[in-house]
Amino acid sequence: GMQSFSITNNYICSDTDTTIIAEYAYPLCLEAILENGGNQICEGCPPHFFFIEGYCAWESDYNILQNFLDLNPRSIEEGLIPMHAYGAENPHWWDAGRLVEITLQHKQLTSEIPESFGLLDKLEILRLTGNMLSGSIPNSLTNLENLRTLKLSSNNLSGEIPENIGALTRLDSIMLSDNLLTGSIPSSIGSMTNIKYLYFDGNLLTGSIPETIGDLGKIVNLYLDNNKLTGEIPSSIGNLLSLGRLYLLNNCLTGPIPVEMCNIYNYNPDFRSMLHNNQLVQPYPDCIKDTHLGNQFTDCPN
C-alpha cells in the first residue's frame, strides 16, 4: 500500500463546511492527515471567490452584481437586502458560490439593466419591478437559460422585446407590464412552453399577436391589454385550455373573434376574457359572454 501521502500547502476544505464549494472538499477519512499537514484548511475562499455574507461567491458574478449596485447607490441604503429582499426565494441569492437570484423591487433603481447580466448563467430569478430603470431590455438576457422568473414591470424601459426571448424555455413567469416597450411581440415566444404567466400589458406594442401564442400549453394568465396591437386574434388561442384570464382590451384588434376560443370556455367555465375597446366584428361566437366583449368601436389609426 501507499507509505506516505502529502498534500500540504493547498486549499482544502472539509465537506461538512456548508459555506464552501463542493469541488474543494475532502472526505472525512483524510481529516487527521490533513489537519497535521500544515494545510491552509479553508482560510477564506478559493481563488476567484469572494467571501460575502457567509458565502464564497464566484468573482465574476460578485463583480457584475456589485457594479449594478454601484450604479444604484440608493438601492442599498438598508444594506444589501438578501435577508430582507421582498419575496426573495433564496434568502442569500447565492447557491454553491453562484448568483441564482436578484430581487430588488421598489428599490429606487435608476440605471439601465446591464448587458453583463447576460453572463449570470446560473441566474434563476430576476425581479426588478417598480423602479425607474431606463434603456432597453438587453438582448444578452436571452442567454440566461436557467431563468424561471423575469419581472421588469413598472419601470421606464423602452425599445423592443428581444427577438430571441423564446430562448428562455424554462420561464414560468415573464412580466414586462407598464413600461414604454415598442415593436411587435416576437413570434419566438411560442418556444416558452413552460410559461404560466405572461404580462406584456401597458406598453406601446404594435403589430399582430403571433400565431405561435397557441404553443403556450401551460399558460394561465395572458395579458396583452392596453397596447396598440392590430390584426386578428389568432385562432391558435383556442389551443390554450389552461387559460383562466385572457386580457386583450384597449387595443386595435380587428376581424372576427375566432370560434376556436369556445374550446377554452367549454373546458374551463370560469375562463374570463376581456375584449373591450377593439374593432372586433360581428357575428360573435355564441360562447362569448356579452360582459367579456364591451364596446367595439375604438378610434384606432388606420
Side-chain angles (χ1 to χ4, degrees), residues 32-256:
I33 302 171
L34 290 166
E35 296 288 356
N36 299 325
N39 263 285
Q40 305 154 343
I41 296 187
C42 274
E43 296 291 328
C45 292
H48 307 297
F49 286 83
F50 280 105
F51 194 70
I52 175 175
E53 303 223 347
Y55 288 86
C56 288
W58 177 236
E59 185 174 38
S60 166
D61 289 8
Y62 174 88
N63 287 337
I64 289 167
L65 177 59
Q66 189 59 57
N67 290 341
F68 183 57
L69 296 172
D70 290 345
L71 292 171
N72 296 286
R74 296 176 70 184
S75 67
I76 49 172
E77 285 170 357
E78 303 156 41
L80 174 60
I81 349 269
M83 303 304 293
H84 321 288
Y86 171 68
E89 290 180 29
N90 308 281
H92 293 280
W93 295 5
W94 300 89
D95 181 41
R98 299 299 308 277
L99 195 56
V100 292
E101 173 167 354
I102 299 175
T103 292
L104 288 165
Q105 306 199 103
H106 308 284
K107 286 290 173 195
Q108 304 185 58
L109 307 177
T110 55
S111 72
E112 299 192 1
I113 299 171
E115 196 74 36
S116 59
F117 275 15
L119 299 171
L120 300 172
D121 58 2
K122 296 292 185 195
L123 200 67
E124 296 175 14
I125 295 169
L126 178 58
R127 292 196 289 211
L128 304 173
T129 298
N131 287 292
M132 294 165 275
L133 295 166
S134 62
S136 57
I137 300 170
N139 284 320
S140 64
L141 291 191
T142 64
N143 299 333
L144 301 180
E145 55 185 35
N146 290 301
L147 208 59
R148 291 183 288 107
T149 302
L150 178 61
K151 295 189 177 180
L152 305 176
S153 298
S154 302
N155 280 288
N156 300 320
L157 298 170
S158 57
E160 300 191 7
I161 298 171
E163 189 59 45
N164 195 30
I165 196 80
L168 302 176
T169 54
R170 293 189 184 175
L171 273 188
D172 164 276
S173 308
I174 180 168
M175 300 185 179
L176 308 179
S177 315
D178 301 320
N179 280 289
L180 304 167
L181 299 170
T182 53
S184 55
I185 298 170
S187 60
S188 72
I189 62 163
S191 303
M192 299 195 295
T193 49
N194 287 303
I195 209 84
K196 291 190 182 123
Y197 305 98
L198 187 151
Y199 295 5
F200 287 175
D201 52 294
N203 282 288
L204 304 168
L205 299 173
T206 54
S208 54
I209 300 169
E211 193 72 36
T212 53
I213 204 104
D215 297 335
L216 306 181
K218 296 182 182 175
I219 196 156
V220 177
N221 289 356
L222 176 56
Y223 291 6
L224 303 178
D225 53 285
N226 292 287
N227 279 292
K228 300 183 173 190
L229 299 172
T230 55
E232 299 189 7
I233 299 173
S235 58
S236 63
I237 273 188
N239 301 339
L240 305 180
L241 298 182
S242 52
L243 260 186
R245 296 282 182 271
L246 172 65
Y247 287 7
L248 302 177
L249 62 152
N250 300 333
N251 279 293
C252 291
L253 299 169
T254 53

